[in-house]
Amino acid sequence: MWLKDLSLTGGIMLNQVFANSEIFAGNVNKGDNRQTNLAAYAQIENKFFKQRLSAVAGVRLEHFRIGDIQETKPVFRGGLSFKLAEQTFLRGSVGQGFRFPTIAERFVETVVSGAPIVPSLDLKPETSISYELGVKQGFRLGKSFNGLVDVAAYWQDYDNYIEFTAGPFSTLAPLAFTSLNIGPVRMYGIDASIATSGKLSKNLTLNVLAGYNYSNPFTLDPNYLIYSNASGVAITYNNSSSVVTEDPNETVLKYRFRHTAKLDAEVLIKKWNIGVSYRYNSFMQNIDLAFLLLDDPLS
């Protein structure tokens, strides 16, 4: 009977933050820096075909409030996992996201190393939808080594994506920082990892964890107006980036690495641990144009 594996989960979550600092001077309601996140959630999970297939679906009603700014939104998620063989699992999932701007993103007003950070009172919440398809494969090497390989492809679409941006946002200095909604954003890529562990000898154990990620995060509308003021300053992703292109697929987001890799290896010799860690980040293709203009103001 399929009901025997049915699982229902639900609950209510409350998270409140009370912040008091001079750097939140951008809040027009001085001192009212409370942030409230109230959520109710429910999830149903079941197994089918002699527990080879697992299915899960859930909903979460999110309510955020900072001072007198508030919003409520439901988000949904679902996923499937199928056991293809003894150590082979195929999975897929889809889920929505909702992120409310933080107290710091909205209200921080300060100066760091001569550069002002200005508040952003008109920030809108981020919304997103994510998809993932992956496969997990267990393996065995010899008599003592066991391992696991996991490969997944992902796709994420965002609306009103929030990014910390440099530009002429203050009269106190030529360069200032603030958080802005940069419009629609897409991220897709592949994430792969391998983990293995086993004994090289009676008193010698080797643990290895390695991973690689390819990510292509870019704005879908490079000419989306992300900032304007009464003085005629108009900022888009193109005119504020060190890389300018009309091809959205080439407008990589600022300060991002398209390729990253890591390796952690550890040898256990009785009571001694000897390890090495390695991390690789590819070239950062895009940064704020303001930094280049500071280096060469006549360019």
Side-chain angles (χ1 to χ4, degrees):
M1 187 65 180
W2 64 272
L3 284 175
K4 70 177 183 179
D5 294 316
L6 183 67
S7 174
L8 297 172
T9 306
I12 297 176
M13 185 277 296
L14 174 63
N15 181 30
Q16 269 198 310
V17 176
F18 299 89
N20 185 17
S21 174
E22 293 181 358
I23 68 171
F24 299 134
N27 188 354
V28 293
N29 300 315
K30 303 299 182 181
D32 187 12
N33 298 316
R34 293 170 296 170
Q35 178 173 303
T36 301
N37 176 207
L38 177 64
Y41 60 90
Q43 177 176 288
I44 182 171
E45 185 174 3
N46 205 358
K47 298 182 184 295
F48 306 92
F49 308 117
K50 298 181 180 180
Q51 299 191 340
R52 293 179 68 88
L53 174 67
S54 298
V56 61
V59 60
R60 185 180 177 100
L61 184 64
E62 296 273 14
H63 173 77
F64 285 92
R65 180 186 182 100
I66 296 180
D68 58 354
I69 306 166
Q70 60 182 324
E71 188 164 340
T72 302
K73 187 177 181 65
V75 292
F76 301 88
R77 64 178 293 267
L80 296 171
S81 176
F82 187 72
K83 185 178 181 181
L84 296 174
E86 183 59 31
Q87 296 190 69
T88 307
F89 296 87
L90 180 67
R91 70 181 184 275
S93 64
V94 58
Q96 295 177 308
F98 176 57
R99 191 179 83 81
F100 204 71
T102 64
I103 296 174
E105 287 171 326
R106 281 189 183 274
F107 301 141
V108 164
E109 185 173 7
T110 187
V111 177
V112 178
S113 299
I117 299 176
V118 301
S120 185
L121 303 181
D122 296 325
L123 269 185
K124 300 175 182 177
E126 289 179 1
T127 58
S128 65
I129 185 166
S130 304
Y131 308 89
E132 182 183 273
L133 182 64
V135 61
K136 185 183 295 185
Q137 176 66 57
F139 64 89
R140 186 174 181 85
L141 296 175
K143 295 182 179 180
S144 61
F145 272 85
N146 294 306
L148 189 67
V149 176
D150 193 305
V151 180
Y154 58 88
W155 183 288
Q156 301 169 310
D157 282 336
Y158 292 84
D159 283 326
N160 294 321
Y161 192 76
I162 298 173
E163 189 171 82
F164 202 54
T165 303
F169 306 124
S170 174
T171 58
L172 301 178
L175 180 65
F177 296 86
T178 192
S179 297
L180 296 174
N181 293 110
I182 65 170
V185 163
R186 175 167 293 163
M187 303 180 188
Y188 64 81
I190 295 176
D191 188 80
S193 64
I194 181 171
T196 184
S197 178
K199 283 188 170 295
L200 298 173
S201 65
K202 180 179 179 181
N203 297 317
L204 196 63
T205 300
L206 174 65
N207 299 320
V208 177
L209 175 63
Y212 165 77
N213 179 264
Y214 166 75
S215 176
N216 188 25
F218 58 94
T219 170
L220 290 170
D221 187 357
N223 295 308
Y224 179 88
L225 184 64
I226 62 178
Y227 175 84
S228 64
N229 63 19
S231 301
V233 175
I235 295 179
T236 67
Y237 213 78
N238 254 351
N239 69 19
S240 64
S241 298
S242 62
V243 175
V244 178
T245 174
E246 295 301 322
D247 182 359
N249 283 280
E250 294 301 321
T251 314
V252 62
L253 297 186
K254 301 166 188 172
Y255 310 105
R256 303 305 204 283
F257 305 108
R258 278 185 166 162
H259 302 273
T260 60
K262 64 179 182 179
L263 171 67
D264 291 301
E266 180 186 50
V267 175
L268 283 69
I269 308 173
K270 293 186 177 181
K271 295 182 179 180
W272 293 85
N273 292 15
I274 302 174
V276 60
S277 293
Y278 172 81
R279 183 175 295 271
Y280 166 80
N281 295 322
S282 62
F283 177 71
M284 186 182 291
Q285 295 176 275
N286 195 7
I287 64 172
D288 280 296
L289 180 62
F291 288 110
L292 300 186
L293 296 179
L294 284 178
D295 287 339
D296 185 9
L298 299 180
S299 64

